[in-house]
Coordinates of all heavy atoms in Angstrom, one line a residue:
T94 N 1.3 34.9 -18.3 CA 2.1 35.0 -19.5 C 2.5 36.4 -19.9 O 2.1 37.4 -19.2 CB 1.2 34.5 -20.7 OG1 0.1 35.5 -20.8 CG2 0.5 33.2 -20.5
E95 N 3.5 36.5 -20.8 CA 3.9 37.8 -21.1 C 2.8 38.7 -21.7 O 2.7 39.9 -21.4 CB 5.0 37.7 -22.2 CG 6.3 37.0 -21.8 CD 6.3 35.5 -22.0 OE1 5.2 34.9 -22.2 OE2 7.4 34.9 -21.9
G96 N 1.9 38.1 -22.4 CA 0.8 38.8 -23.0 C -0.2 39.4 -21.9 O -0.6 40.6 -22.0
Q97 N -0.4 38.6 -20.8 CA -1.2 39.0 -19.7 C -0.5 40.2 -19.0 O -1.2 41.1 -18.6 CB -1.5 37.8 -18.8 CG -2.4 36.8 -19.5 CD -2.6 35.6 -18.6 OE1 -1.8 35.3 -17.7 NE2 -3.7 34.8 -18.8
V98 N 0.7 40.1 -18.8 CA 1.4 41.2 -18.1 C 1.4 42.4 -19.0 O 1.2 43.5 -18.4 CB 2.9 40.7 -17.8 CG1 3.8 41.9 -17.3 CG2 3.0 39.5 -16.9
Y99 N 1.6 42.3 -20.2 CA 1.6 43.5 -21.1 C 0.3 44.2 -21.0 O 0.2 45.4 -20.9 CB 1.8 43.0 -22.5 CG 1.6 44.0 -23.7 CD1 2.4 45.1 -23.7 CD2 0.7 43.7 -24.7 CE1 2.1 46.1 -24.7 CE2 0.5 44.7 -25.7 CZ 1.2 45.8 -25.7 OH 1.0 46.7 -26.7
E100 N -0.9 43.4 -21.1 CA -2.2 44.0 -21.0 C -2.3 44.8 -19.7 O -3.0 45.8 -19.6 CB -3.2 43.0 -21.2 CG -3.3 42.4 -22.6 CD -3.7 43.4 -23.7 OE1 -4.4 44.4 -23.3 OE2 -3.1 43.3 -24.8
A101 N -1.8 44.2 -18.6 CA -1.9 44.8 -17.3 C -1.2 46.1 -17.2 O -1.6 47.1 -16.6 CB -1.5 43.8 -16.1
L102 N 0.0 46.1 -17.9 CA 0.8 47.3 -17.9 C 0.1 48.4 -18.7 O 0.2 49.6 -18.3 CB 2.2 47.0 -18.4 CG 3.1 46.1 -17.6 CD1 4.5 45.9 -18.3 CD2 3.2 46.6 -16.2
L103 N -0.5 48.0 -19.7 CA -1.3 49.1 -20.5 C -2.4 49.6 -19.7 O -2.7 50.8 -19.8 CB -1.8 48.5 -21.8 CG -0.7 48.0 -22.9 CD1 -1.5 47.6 -24.1 CD2 0.3 49.0 -23.1
R104 N -3.1 48.8 -18.9 CA -4.1 49.2 -18.1 C -3.6 50.2 -17.0 O -4.3 51.3 -16.7 CB -4.9 48.0 -17.3 CG -5.8 47.2 -18.2 CD -6.7 46.3 -17.5 NE -5.9 45.3 -16.8 CZ -5.6 44.1 -17.4 NH1 -5.9 43.8 -18.6 NH2 -4.9 43.2 -16.6
H105 N -2.4 49.9 -16.5 CA -1.8 50.8 -15.5 C -1.5 52.3 -16.1 O -1.8 53.3 -15.6 CB -0.6 50.2 -15.0 CG 0.1 51.1 -13.9 ND1 0.6 50.5 -12.8 CD2 0.4 52.4 -13.8 CE1 1.2 51.5 -12.0 NE2 1.1 52.6 -12.7
I106 N -0.9 52.2 -17.4 CA -0.6 53.4 -18.0 C -1.8 54.3 -18.3 O -1.8 55.5 -18.1 CB 0.1 53.1 -19.4 CG1 1.5 52.5 -19.0 CG2 0.3 54.3 -20.2 CD1 2.3 52.0 -20.3
E107 N -2.9 53.6 -18.8 CA -4.1 54.4 -19.0 C -4.7 54.9 -17.8 O -5.2 56.1 -17.8 CB -5.1 53.4 -19.8 CG -6.4 54.2 -20.3 CD -7.2 53.3 -21.2 OE1 -7.1 52.0 -21.1 OE2 -8.0 53.9 -22.0
F108 N -4.8 54.1 -16.8 CA -5.4 54.6 -15.5 C -4.6 55.7 -14.9 O -5.1 56.7 -14.5 CB -5.5 53.4 -14.5 CG -5.9 53.9 -13.1 CD1 -7.3 53.8 -12.8 CD2 -5.0 54.3 -12.1 CE1 -7.7 54.2 -11.6 CE2 -5.5 54.7 -10.9 CZ -6.8 54.7 -10.6
A109 N -3.3 55.6 -14.9 CA -2.4 56.6 -14.3 C -2.5 57.9 -15.1 O -2.5 59.0 -14.4 CB -1.0 56.1 -14.2
T110 N -2.5 57.8 -16.4 CA -2.5 59.0 -17.2 C -3.8 59.7 -17.1 O -3.7 61.0 -16.9 CB -2.2 58.7 -18.7 OG1 -1.1 57.8 -18.8 CG2 -2.1 59.9 -19.6
N111 N -4.9 59.1 -17.2 CA -6.2 59.8 -16.9 C -6.4 61.1 -17.6 O -6.9 62.1 -17.0 CB -6.3 59.9 -15.3 CG -7.7 60.3 -14.9 OD1 -8.7 59.8 -15.5 ND2 -7.8 61.1 -13.9
G112 N -6.0 61.1 -18.9 CA -6.2 62.3 -19.6 C -5.4 63.5 -19.2 O -5.6 64.6 -19.6
G113 N -4.4 63.3 -18.3 CA -3.6 64.4 -17.8 C -3.7 64.6 -16.3 O -2.8 65.2 -15.7
E114 N -4.9 64.2 -15.8 CA -5.0 64.3 -14.3 C -4.5 63.1 -13.7 O -5.2 62.1 -13.3 CB -6.5 64.5 -14.0 CG -6.8 64.9 -12.6 CD -8.3 65.2 -12.4 OE1 -9.1 65.4 -13.4 OE2 -8.7 65.2 -11.2
I115 N -3.2 63.1 -13.5 CA -2.5 61.9 -13.1 C -2.9 61.3 -11.7 O -3.2 62.0 -10.8 CB -0.9 62.2 -13.0 CG1 -0.4 62.9 -14.2 CG2 -0.1 61.0 -12.8 CD1 -0.6 62.3 -15.5
R116 N -3.1 59.9 -11.7 CA -3.5 59.2 -10.6 C -2.3 58.3 -10.0 O -1.9 57.5 -10.9 CB -4.8 58.4 -10.9 CG -6.0 59.2 -11.1 CD -7.2 58.4 -11.4 NE -7.3 57.7 -12.6 CZ -8.4 57.3 -13.3 NH1 -9.5 57.4 -12.6 NH2 -8.3 56.7 -14.4
P117 N -2.0 58.4 -8.8 CA -0.9 57.5 -8.3 C -1.4 56.1 -8.3 O -2.5 55.8 -7.9 CB -0.7 58.0 -6.8 CG -1.3 59.3 -6.8 CD -2.4 59.4 -7.8
A118 N -0.5 55.1 -8.7 CA -1.0 53.8 -8.9 C 0.2 52.8 -8.8 O 1.4 53.3 -9.0 CB -1.8 53.5 -10.2
I119 N -0.1 51.6 -8.4 CA 0.9 50.5 -8.5 C 0.3 49.2 -8.9 O -0.9 49.0 -8.6 CB 1.6 50.3 -7.1 CG1 2.7 49.3 -7.1 CG2 0.5 49.9 -6.0 CD1 3.5 49.2 -5.8
T120 N 1.0 48.4 -9.7 CA 0.5 47.2 -10.2 C 1.5 46.1 -9.6 O 2.7 46.2 -9.9 CB 0.5 47.1 -11.7 OG1 -0.4 48.1 -12.2 CG2 0.1 45.7 -12.2
L121 N 0.9 45.1 -9.0 CA 1.7 44.0 -8.3 C 1.5 42.8 -9.1 O 0.3 42.3 -9.2 CB 1.3 44.0 -6.9 CG 1.8 45.2 -6.1 CD1 1.1 45.3 -4.7 CD2 3.3 45.1 -5.8
F122 N 2.6 42.0 -9.5 CA 2.5 40.8 -10.1 C 3.0 39.7 -9.1 O 3.1 40.0 -8.0 CB 3.4 40.8 -11.4 CG 2.9 41.8 -12.5 CD1 3.4 43.0 -12.6 CD2 1.8 41.4 -13.3 CE1 2.9 43.9 -13.5 CE2 1.3 42.2 -14.3 CZ 1.9 43.5 -14.4
K123 N 3.1 38.5 -9.6 CA 3.5 37.4 -8.7 C 4.7 37.7 -7.8 O 5.6 38.3 -8.4 CB 3.6 36.2 -9.5 CG 2.4 35.6 -10.1 CD 2.7 34.3 -10.8 CE 1.5 33.6 -11.5 NZ 0.5 33.3 -10.5
P124 N 4.7 37.3 -6.7 CA 5.9 37.5 -5.8 C 7.0 36.5 -6.1 O 6.7 35.5 -6.8 CB 5.3 37.2 -4.4 CG 4.2 36.3 -4.5 CD 3.6 36.7 -5.9
E125 N 8.2 36.7 -5.5 CA 9.2 35.8 -5.7 C 8.9 34.4 -5.1 O 8.2 34.4 -4.1 CB 10.4 36.4 -5.0 CG 11.8 35.9 -5.3 CD 12.9 36.6 -4.5 OE1 13.0 36.5 -3.3 OE2 13.5 37.3 -5.2
D126 N 9.4 33.3 -5.7 CA 9.2 32.0 -5.3 C 10.0 31.9 -3.9 O 10.9 32.6 -3.7 CB 9.7 31.0 -6.3 CG 8.9 31.1 -7.5 OD1 7.8 31.4 -7.5 OD2 9.5 30.7 -8.6
S127 N 9.6 30.9 -3.1 CA 10.3 30.6 -1.9 C 11.8 30.2 -2.1 O 12.6 30.5 -1.2 CB 9.6 29.5 -1.1 OG 9.5 28.3 -1.9
D128 N 12.1 29.8 -3.3 CA 13.5 29.5 -3.6 C 14.2 30.6 -4.3 O 15.4 30.6 -4.7 CB 13.6 28.2 -4.5 CG 12.9 28.4 -5.8 OD1 12.4 29.5 -6.1 OD2 12.9 27.4 -6.6
G129 N 13.6 31.8 -4.3 CA 14.2 33.0 -4.9 C 14.0 33.2 -6.4 O 14.5 34.2 -7.0
G130 N 13.2 32.3 -7.0 CA 12.9 32.5 -8.5 C 12.0 33.7 -8.7 O 11.2 33.9 -7.9
E131 N 12.2 34.3 -9.8 CA 11.4 35.4 -10.3 C 10.4 35.0 -11.3 O 10.8 34.8 -12.5 CB 12.3 36.6 -10.8 CG 13.2 37.1 -9.7 CD 14.0 38.3 -10.3 OE1 14.1 38.5 -11.5 OE2 14.7 39.0 -9.5
P132 N 9.1 35.0 -11.0 CA 8.0 34.6 -11.9 C 8.0 35.7 -13.1 O 7.8 35.3 -14.2 CB 6.8 34.5 -11.1 CG 7.2 34.4 -9.7 CD 8.5 35.2 -9.6
I133 N 8.1 36.9 -12.7 CA 7.9 38.0 -13.7 C 8.9 39.1 -13.5 O 9.2 39.5 -12.3 CB 6.5 38.5 -13.7 CG1 5.4 37.5 -14.1 CG2 6.3 39.8 -14.5 CD1 4.0 37.8 -13.8
R134 N 9.5 39.6 -14.4 CA 10.5 40.7 -14.3 C 10.2 41.7 -15.5 O 10.1 41.2 -16.7 CB 11.9 40.2 -14.4 CG 12.9 41.2 -14.0 CD 12.9 41.7 -12.6 NE 13.8 42.8 -12.4 CZ 15.1 42.7 -12.1 NH1 15.6 41.5 -12.0 NH2 15.9 43.8 -11.9
I135 N 10.2 43.0 -15.2 CA 10.0 44.0 -16.2 C 11.4 44.7 -16.4 O 12.0 45.1 -15.4 CB 9.0 45.0 -15.8 CG1 7.6 44.4 -15.6 CG2 8.9 46.2 -16.8 CD1 6.6 45.2 -14.9
W136 N 11.9 44.6 -17.6 CA 13.3 45.1 -17.8 C 13.4 46.7 -17.8 O 14.4 47.2 -17.5 CB 13.8 44.6 -19.1 CG 14.3 43.2 -19.0 CD1 13.9 42.2 -18.2 CD2 15.3 42.5 -19.8 NE1 14.6 41.0 -18.3 CE2 15.4 41.2 -19.4 CE3 16.1 43.0 -20.9 CZ2 16.4 40.3 -20.0 CZ3 17.0 42.1 -21.5 CH2 17.1 40.8 -21.0
N137 N 12.2 47.3 -18.1 CA 12.3 48.8 -18.2 C 12.6 49.4 -16.9 O 12.1 49.0 -15.9 CB 11.0 49.3 -18.7 CG 10.5 48.7 -20.0 OD1 10.2 47.5 -20.1 ND2 10.4 49.5 -21.0
H138 N 13.3 50.6 -16.9 CA 13.5 51.4 -15.8 C 12.2 52.1 -15.4 O 11.8 52.2 -14.2 CB 14.7 52.4 -15.9 CG 14.7 53.5 -14.9 ND1 14.8 53.1 -13.6 CD2 14.6 54.8 -15.0 CE1 14.9 54.3 -12.8 NE2 14.7 55.2 -13.7
Q139 N 11.6 52.7 -16.4 CA 10.3 53.3 -16.3 C 9.4 52.7 -17.5 O 10.0 52.4 -18.6 CB 10.3 54.8 -16.4 CG 11.0 55.5 -15.2 CD 11.0 57.0 -15.3 OE1 10.0 57.6 -16.0 NE2 11.9 57.7 -14.7
L140 N 8.2 52.5 -17.3 CA 7.3 51.9 -18.4 C 7.4 52.8 -19.6 O 7.4 52.3 -20.7 CB 5.9 51.8 -17.9 CG 5.6 50.8 -16.8 CD1 4.1 50.6 -16.6 CD2 6.3 49.5 -17.0
I141 N 7.4 54.1 -19.4 CA 7.5 55.1 -20.5 C 8.9 55.8 -20.4 O 9.1 56.4 -19.4 CB 6.4 56.1 -20.6 CG1 5.1 55.4 -20.7 CG2 6.6 57.0 -21.7 CD1 3.8 56.3 -20.6
R142 N 9.8 55.6 -21.4 CA 11.0 56.3 -21.3 C 11.6 56.4 -22.8 O 11.1 55.6 -23.7 CB 12.1 55.7 -20.5 CG 12.9 56.7 -19.7 CD 14.0 56.0 -18.8 NE 14.5 57.1 -18.0 CZ 15.6 56.9 -17.3 NH1 16.5 55.9 -17.7 NH2 16.1 57.9 -16.5
Y143 N 12.4 57.3 -23.0 CA 13.0 57.6 -24.4 C 14.2 56.7 -24.7 O 15.1 56.6 -23.7 CB 13.2 59.0 -24.6 CG 11.9 59.8 -24.6 CD1 11.8 60.9 -23.7 CD2 10.9 59.6 -25.4 CE1 10.6 61.7 -23.7 CE2 9.7 60.3 -25.3 CZ 9.5 61.3 -24.5 OH 8.4 62.1 -24.5
A144 N 14.4 56.3 -25.9 CA 15.6 55.6 -26.3 C 16.8 56.5 -26.4 O 16.7 57.7 -26.5 CB 15.3 54.8 -27.7
G145 N 18.0 55.9 -26.4 CA 19.2 56.6 -26.6 C 20.1 55.8 -27.5 O 20.2 54.5 -27.4
Y146 N 20.7 56.5 -28.5 CA 21.4 55.8 -29.6 C 22.9 56.4 -29.7 O 23.0 57.6 -29.6 CB 20.8 56.0 -31.0 CG 19.3 55.5 -31.0 CD1 18.4 56.6 -30.9 CD2 18.9 54.3 -31.3 CE1 17.0 56.2 -31.0 CE2 17.6 53.9 -31.4 CZ 16.6 55.0 -31.2 OH 15.3 54.6 -31.3
E147 N 23.8 55.6 -29.8 CA 25.2 56.0 -30.1 C 25.4 56.1 -31.7 O 25.2 55.1 -32.3 CB 26.2 55.1 -29.5 CG 26.3 55.1 -28.0 CD 27.4 54.1 -27.4 OE1 27.2 52.9 -27.6 OE2 28.3 54.7 -26.8
T148 N 25.7 57.3 -32.1 CA 25.9 57.5 -33.6 C 27.3 58.1 -33.8 O 28.0 58.5 -32.9 CB 24.8 58.4 -34.2 OG1 25.1 59.8 -33.7 CG2 23.4 58.0 -33.7
E149 N 27.6 58.2 -35.1 CA 28.9 58.8 -35.5 C 29.0 60.3 -35.0 O 30.0 60.8 -34.8 CB 29.1 58.8 -36.9 CG 29.3 57.3 -37.5 CD 29.5 57.3 -39.0 OE1 29.4 58.3 -39.6 OE2 29.7 56.2 -39.5
N150 N 27.8 60.9 -34.9 CA 27.8 62.3 -34.5 C 27.4 62.6 -33.0 O 27.1 63.6 -32.6 CB 26.8 63.1 -35.4 CG 27.0 63.0 -36.9 OD1 28.2 63.1 -37.2 ND2 26.0 62.7 -37.7
G151 N 27.6 61.5 -32.3 CA 27.3 61.6 -30.8 C 26.0 60.8 -30.5 O 25.5 60.1 -31.3
I152 N 25.6 61.1 -29.3 CA 24.4 60.3 -28.8 C 23.1 61.1 -29.2 O 23.0 62.3 -29.0 CB 24.4 60.3 -27.2 CG1 25.6 59.3 -26.8 CG2 23.1 59.7 -26.7 CD1 25.9 59.3 -25.3
V153 N 22.2 60.3 -29.7 CA 20.9 60.9 -30.0 C 19.9 60.3 -29.0 O 19.9 59.1 -28.8 CB 20.5 60.5 -31.5 CG1 19.0 60.9 -31.8 CG2 21.4 61.1 -32.5
G154 N 19.0 61.2 -28.4 CA 18.0 60.7 -27.5 C 18.6 60.7 -26.0 O 19.4 61.6 -25.7
D155 N 18.2 59.9 -25.2 CA 18.5 59.9 -23.8 C 19.8 59.0 -23.4 O 19.7 57.8 -23.6 CB 17.3 59.4 -23.0 CG 17.5 59.7 -21.5 OD1 18.5 59.9 -21.0 OD2 16.5 59.6 -20.8
P156 N 20.9 59.6 -23.1 CA 22.1 58.8 -22.8 C 21.8 57.7 -21.7 O 22.5 56.7 -21.7 CB 23.1 59.8 -22.3 CG 22.6 61.1 -23.0 CD 21.1 61.1 -23.1
A157 N 20.9 58.0 -20.8 CA 20.6 57.1 -19.7 C 20.0 55.8 -20.2 O 20.0 54.8 -19.5 CB 19.7 57.7 -18.7
S158 N 19.5 55.7 -21.5 CA 18.8 54.6 -22.0 C 19.7 53.8 -23.0 O 19.2 52.8 -23.6 CB 17.5 55.0 -22.7 OG 16.6 55.6 -21.8
L159 N 21.0 54.1 -23.1 CA 21.8 53.5 -24.1 C 21.8 52.0 -24.0 O 21.6 51.2 -25.0 CB 23.2 54.0 -24.0 CG 23.5 55.5 -24.5 CD1 24.9 55.9 -24.2 CD2 23.2 55.5 -26.0
S160 N 22.2 51.4 -22.7 CA 22.2 50.0 -22.6 C 20.9 49.3 -22.8 O 20.9 48.2 -23.4 CB 22.9 49.7 -21.3 OG 22.0 50.2 -20.2
F161 N 19.8 49.9 -22.3 CA 18.5 49.3 -22.5 C 18.1 49.3 -23.9 O 17.5 48.3 -24.4 CB 17.4 49.9 -21.6 CG 16.0 49.3 -21.6 CD1 15.9 48.0 -21.4 CD2 15.0 50.1 -22.0 CE1 14.7 47.4 -21.5 CE2 13.7 49.5 -22.1 CZ 13.6 48.1 -21.9

Side-chain angles (χ1 to χ4, degrees):
T94 67
E95 294 89 346
Q97 290 172 340
V98 174
Y99 172 59
E100 293 298 327
L102 295 180
L103 295 188
R104 287 193 292 271
H105 183 135
I106 292 171
E107 186 172 22
F108 175 89
T110 304
N111 192 33
E114 192 174 342
I115 310 303
R116 294 183 284 201
I119 186 169
T120 296
L121 292 164
F122 295 97
K123 287 184 181 297
E125 192 174 75
D126 298 330
S127 56
D128 61 1
E131 294 181 346
I133 294 166
R134 188 70 187 273
I135 299 166
W136 279 27
N137 306 63
H138 168 58
Q139 295 183 22
L140 295 188
I141 301 170
R142 220 183 193 201
Y143 297 123
Y146 310 93
E147 289 182 297
T148 74
E149 294 180 355
N150 298 318
I152 295 174
V153 174
D155 192 344
S158 296
L159 287 175
S160 59
F161 181 58

